[in-house]
Amino acid sequence: MLRSLPKLSLLFSSARNPHYLSSAQRFISQGRIAASRVKIGVVSTIPIRSKLTSTISSAIASEMAAEDQVQRVNLLTSTDDNYGGVIVELDQHMDSATFVSILRASVSHWKLLGKKGVWIKLPIHLVNLVEALVKEGFWYHHAEPKYLMLVYWIPESPSTIPANATHRVGVGSFVMNEKQEVLVVQENSGLFQGTGVWKFPTGVVDQGEDICVAAVREVKEETGVDSEFVEVLAFRQSHNSFFEKSDLFFMCMLRPLSSDIQAQRLEILNAQWMPFEEYAAQPFIQKSELLKYINDTCLAKMGGQYSGFSPVSTSSNFSDQKNYLYLSAGALKSSNSS
C-alpha cells in the first residue's frame, strides 16, 4: 500500500562512506596548510580551525538525519488506469493524521506526473478514513457490500470521471406450454402484493449474469419450472425507477422443459398455468398500455408473425471473454441468403 519517496540529492553524497570519513580525518590530523580554506562539496568554503572535526561531524550527522527523514516520507501505492488517472486499493490500518499526510504527498506526486482522476477503493474495515478523504476533497462514487469507492479530480479543468452505473436490468419471462397456457404468478411482496393480479415471472439480473441466464433462473426460482431461453421479444427503458436509477426491462420468451409447479413462498403467493386469453383479460392488464403492447407482441409470436432477438455468443478485440449479441437470427439469415 505504501512506497518510499526516492532519496533527495544532498550536500554530502558520500557521507556514510567509511573511506570518505577516514580520508577527512587524516587530512585534519596531518595539519596540512593550517591557514588554508577547504571546499566541501560545491556549496561553500569553510576555514580550517581546531574545531573543524566537530564541524564536519555535525554536518555529516545533519545529512544522515535528513536522509532518514526523507526515507520516512511514503506514498500510496497506485496503478495507472486507461484514462490518465490512478487507482489505489487501501488495505493497511493507520490513523487519520498519518493517512492525510501520506495522501497529500501522494496527490502532489501524482499532480507532478500529470495524473487526472484518483480512485481510492476503501474496504469496509478502513471506514475510519472516510471522513479524512472527504475533507481532502474526495467524493463518493459508488458503494458495494465490502468497499466504498471515492474519487478526486486533480486538474483545474472540469472533471471527466464517469458517473456510477446508471441503469438496473430486469427480465420478464413469457413461458407458454403446448396447451397455449402461460406461466403466471401472484406476488406476496412489492407493488403487486394483495392486488390479486396474475403476472409473468420477473426479476433483476445479477452482476455478471447474462440476460438469457437470468430469465431461466428467475422462472426456476419463482415457480420451480425448468425452461430454456428462446429470444428477447422486446425491451423497455424507464427512468427514476430504483433509487433514482434508470431501468432496462427485457421481455423474454422461454420454452418450458417441465410442468410441475413448486412456488417459492418467500416472494410468491401462488403460481399456475393459465390460458393466455384469461391472463390478458385481467382489468389491470387491460388498463396498461405497456402490458397491452407486450401481449400483442406475444400473440404475434404465437402466430408466427414476429421474430425477436436470439443470443449469439461472440468475442471482441478487447477481451477473450465470451458475451452475447442479441439479434434477429431469422431475418439475418434471410438477408444473407438473398
Side-chain angles (χ1 to χ4, degrees):
M1 174 187 137
L2 301 178
R3 65 183 181 87
S4 297
L5 278 169
K7 294 181 181 178
L8 296 177
S9 176
L10 300 174
L11 175 63
F12 296 98
S13 60
S14 58
R16 294 188 179 183
N17 189 317
H19 176 73
Y20 171 84
L21 294 174
S22 61
S23 298
Q25 290 169 351
R26 284 199 308 272
F27 180 85
I28 296 165
S29 62
Q30 290 171 2
R32 295 182 182 177
I33 315 176
S36 67
R37 303 166 74 87
V38 178
K39 285 189 177 181
I40 299 178
V42 293
V43 178
S44 62
T45 59
I46 302 175
I48 296 179
R49 308 240 189 258
S50 61
K51 296 183 179 179
L52 183 56
T53 302
S54 61
T55 303
I56 294 178
S57 298
S58 298
I60 293 173
S62 298
E63 181 207 1
M64 294 171 64
E67 287 186 351
D68 289 340
Q69 184 176 6
V70 170
Q71 289 175 335
R72 287 196 295 271
V73 177
N74 294 316
L75 295 178
L76 295 172
T77 300
S78 64
T79 57
D80 293 341
D81 65 20
N82 294 324
Y83 303 95
V86 295
I87 302 170
V88 177
E89 296 193 27
L90 297 175
D91 58 6
Q92 182 176 329
H93 283 280
M94 68 181 78
D95 62 82
S96 295
T98 302
F99 174 69
V100 168
S101 176
I102 297 172
L103 176 64
R104 289 175 179 174
S106 299
V107 171
S108 297
H109 176 68
W110 295 325
K111 186 175 183 178
L112 290 174
L113 295 178
K115 298 301 181 181
K116 299 176 181 178
V118 179
W119 302 75
I120 292 190
K121 185 177 181 181
L122 192 69
I124 196 168
H125 66 271
L126 297 183
V127 66
N128 63 299
L129 301 180
V130 172
E131 183 179 1
L133 280 163
V134 172
K135 286 184 176 179
E136 290 299 309
F138 282 75
W139 66 90
Y140 297 160
H141 187 269
H142 66 272
E144 295 292 339
K146 294 186 178 180
Y147 74 86
L148 176 66
M149 184 71 78
L150 297 99
V151 292
Y152 179 79
W153 185 250
I154 296 177
E156 297 295 331
S157 60
S159 170
T160 60
I161 292 176
N164 183 25
T166 58
H167 286 67
R168 187 177 69 157
V169 180
V171 291
S173 298
F174 169 61
V175 188
M176 177 173 283
N177 62 19
E178 296 177 351
K179 301 177 182 178
Q180 304 291 295
E181 296 173 329
V182 291
L183 184 62
V184 292
V185 298
Q186 287 181 326
E187 295 181 344
N188 60 14
S189 63
L191 295 176
F192 288 96
Q193 182 180 11
T195 63
V197 173
W198 293 94
K199 57 183 286 292
F200 294 151
T202 59
V204 176
V205 179
D206 292 335
Q207 181 173 318
E209 186 178 37
D210 292 303
I211 293 169
C212 53
V213 174
V216 171
R217 174 183 56 77
E218 285 291 347
V219 168
K220 179 66 174 180
E221 288 180 357
E222 293 190 358
T223 69
V225 173
D226 294 316
S227 62
E228 64 178 354
F229 187 87
V230 179
E231 60 189 27
V232 171
L233 296 176
F235 73 91
R236 177 223 63 196
Q237 182 185 28
S238 63
H239 305 289
N240 295 317
S241 174
F242 186 75
F243 288 102
E244 302 179 0
K245 297 297 182 181
S246 298
D247 185 88
L248 288 173
F249 179 80
F250 291 83
M251 192 64 223
C252 307
M253 181 177 183
L254 281 67
R255 182 180 298 110
L257 300 178
S258 64
S259 58
D260 292 339
I261 292 176
Q262 295 179 350
Q264 186 236 70
R265 297 304 177 186
L266 182 62
E267 299 177 351
I268 303 302
L269 181 64
N270 289 304
Q272 66 170 327
W273 294 99
M274 176 182 287
F276 183 83
E277 294 78 8
E278 183 179 344
Y279 159 78
Q282 294 178 94
F284 181 85
I285 305 295
Q286 290 295 312
K287 293 177 182 179
S288 171
E289 183 179 23
L290 171 66
L291 294 179
K292 287 178 69 175
Y293 269 114
I294 291 177
N295 288 347
D296 290 343
T297 302
C298 293
L299 283 171
K301 179 64 182 178
M302 291 164 57
Q305 300 174 330
Y306 184 88
S307 178
F309 298 91
S310 303
V312 177
S313 180
T314 63
S315 61
S316 72
N317 295 337
F318 304 103
S319 173
D320 294 331
Q321 182 178 352
K322 291 294 183 179
N323 51 69
Y324 288 107
L325 174 68
Y326 293 82
L327 50 79
S328 180
L332 182 62
K333 184 177 181 180
S334 299
S335 175
N336 291 337
S337 61
S338 60

